[in-house]
Amino acid sequence: MVRGLAGGRRGGGRPLAVDLGTANTVVFRRGDGIVVFEPSVVAIDERTGRVEAVGLDARRMIGRTPAHIRATRPLRHGVITDFETTEQMLRHFIRKGAERTLRRPDVIVCVPGGVTQVERTAVEEAALGAGAAHAFLIDEPLAAAIGAGLPVAEPVGSLVVDIGGGTSEMAVTALGGMVVSDSIRLGGYDLDDAIVRLLQQRERLLIGQEQAETVKLAIGSAVPGLAREHETQVAGRDLTTGLLRRATVLASDVQQALARPLAEITRAVRDLLERTPEELAADLGRNGLTLVGGGALLPGLDELLRQQTGLDVVVDDEPLTTVARGAGQALEELQRLRPARRTRRRGNRR
């Protein structure tokens, strides 16, 4: 479940674990815990190619930049869509998270379970290009299970569901590995898109994804009656007049809009349970399901999964950092790994 690639340099200092997510990047440093938690956003001056801002500063620029500055998320559904930008973003976060030393750290990066070999190699190469001495990969569901404190190494089945910004990962673990797993390219941003469509259809109002996320956080819920508030206000452009307008959005309407993407997630969990060996299924009946990731913060999602699976559902205490913390614990195994001595040559990459 963990593989590595060498960059031709000897590692030094304390290694880093990086949860490279579609929405946020989290960096864990051994001995210090979480040292970086910032949005996976980069602002680039398209005239010069220069990076103007990364992380939180870049996120503030989304939709507010001059024509020559582009604020973008270089990952989509957990996969690198812009290699060079991802490498520059990783370099920024690795430098921010690493100790002040001339020696480059070993880095372990979390990747979605459903990515292809080509996509895995792209992540490794980006980490090496960003300054890692050695790059290791760990599947996100396995890291999530470790971070949630599940008995991954024991002959006992454990089920973890990780709902991130771009993907939803789920796996049954036992004896140090994933017995069955699934990854669907649907997550928190798809919930935001559902709210954007709701406003377009109901109010003829166009809002951005950032505003849709604000609505989700304010009144979103997975089941009726559990929203934090009954309604909220949102501003956008009227699709009929082209003028700015405010509208009231009801929590009940938002809950119905979120029902369709959430149904795809619960369907994937049920499908996974159907593929789980009988012996491990019995363990899950006793131990239940552990929910992590940003999606775990949506009110009522644990109840929805409980209704759809019949399992007890536990939400991790710190679901946004579970994966990074689990990968951080996996860093303890780095000394036993022997990555292939394959040196990256930048000049050969297109």
Side-chain angles (χ1 to χ4, degrees):
M1 298 300 175
V2 181
R3 53 166 287 179
L5 184 66
R9 305 177 181 90
R10 185 181 177 186
R14 283 177 286 182
L16 303 176
V18 180
D19 178 11
L20 185 62
T22 305
N24 299 297
T25 295
V26 186
V27 180
F28 177 101
R29 185 168 68 210
R30 187 166 64 189
D32 293 323
I34 303 298
V35 292
V36 174
F37 188 112
E38 293 198 36
S40 300
V41 183
V42 181
I44 298 177
D45 188 328
E46 294 190 318
R47 299 173 303 182
T48 63
R50 177 187 173 190
V51 173
E52 294 293 327
V54 178
L56 188 59
D57 291 338
R59 178 174 177 172
R60 295 192 184 103
M61 296 181 179
I62 292 179
R64 301 180 178 88
T65 60
H68 63 277
I69 295 181
R70 175 173 54 94
T72 181
R73 298 182 183 273
L75 290 96
R76 184 66 177 169
H77 298 300
V79 175
I80 293 176
T81 56
D82 185 331
F83 185 92
E84 297 295 338
T85 303
T86 301
E87 185 176 302
Q88 293 183 71
M89 181 180 74
L90 259 178
R91 181 179 295 112
H92 171 85
F93 290 138
I94 288 175
R95 286 177 177 173
K96 193 169 184 178
E99 296 176 294
R100 297 295 179 263
T101 174
L102 296 177
R103 304 184 71 181
R104 303 190 178 205
D106 290 340
V107 176
I108 186 168
V109 184
C110 307
V111 294
V115 298
T116 66
Q117 184 57 50
V118 171
E119 291 165 342
R120 285 175 175 268
T121 301
V123 175
E124 289 177 319
E125 294 285 351
L128 292 173
H134 300 91
F136 300 89
L137 301 184
I138 183 171
D139 291 313
E140 284 183 14
L142 184 60
I146 296 171
L150 300 180
V152 174
E154 299 178 15
V156 176
S158 300
L159 173 58
V160 63
V161 177
D162 174 18
I163 301 177
T167 63
S168 292
E169 311 282 325
M170 53 210 73
V172 175
T173 64
L175 292 172
M178 299 189 300
V179 181
V180 289
S181 63
D182 196 8
S183 174
I184 61 173
R185 296 191 174 184
L186 185 150
Y189 286 136
D190 298 278
L191 303 183
D192 298 339
D193 289 341
I195 295 174
V196 171
R197 291 192 296 271
L198 169 70
L199 270 296
Q200 289 177 341
Q201 295 167 4
R202 292 281 183 91
E203 297 288 339
R204 296 289 297 167
L205 194 70
L206 181 63
I207 65 171
Q209 196 173 52
E210 298 292 313
Q211 272 194 301
E213 183 181 22
T214 300
V215 171
K216 179 181 68 178
L217 295 174
I219 61 173
S221 68
V223 295
L226 291 184
R228 298 181 178 92
E229 301 288 341
H230 295 299
E231 63 181 41
T232 190
Q233 293 285 314
V234 64
R237 189 173 76 245
D238 191 301
L239 292 173
T240 302
T241 66
L243 302 177
L244 295 180
R245 178 166 64 86
R246 298 185 68 83
T248 299
V249 190
L250 300 179
S252 57
D253 291 337
V254 171
Q255 186 270 318
Q256 292 176 14
L258 300 181
R260 178 173 294 181
L262 290 177
E264 294 187 43
I265 295 174
T266 57
R267 187 180 304 115
V269 175
R270 292 199 306 270
D271 290 345
L272 184 77
L273 291 173
E274 291 177 1
R275 295 189 284 116
T276 301
E278 291 78 2
E279 295 81 1
L280 297 180
D283 294 333
L284 302 185
R286 291 187 295 269
N287 302 328
L289 177 158
T290 300
L291 183 61
V292 307
L297 299 176
L298 181 69
L301 183 55
D302 55 342
E303 177 60 28
L304 179 64
L305 285 168
R306 187 177 296 113
Q307 294 173 2
Q308 294 294 319
T309 65
L311 299 175
D312 290 333
V313 179
V314 175
V315 179
D316 188 67
D317 292 338
E318 299 180 40
L320 290 171
T321 61
T322 309
V323 173
R325 287 184 282 110
Q329 293 179 45
L331 287 173
E332 302 299 329
E333 303 297 321
L334 283 179
Q335 286 75 18
R336 298 194 299 166
L337 296 174
R338 292 292 183 268
R341 300 299 298 179
R342 186 171 131 202
T343 303
R344 180 181 57 82
R345 293 181 294 178
R346 296 181 62 91
N348 292 340
R349 193 177 67 217
R350 295 288 186 266

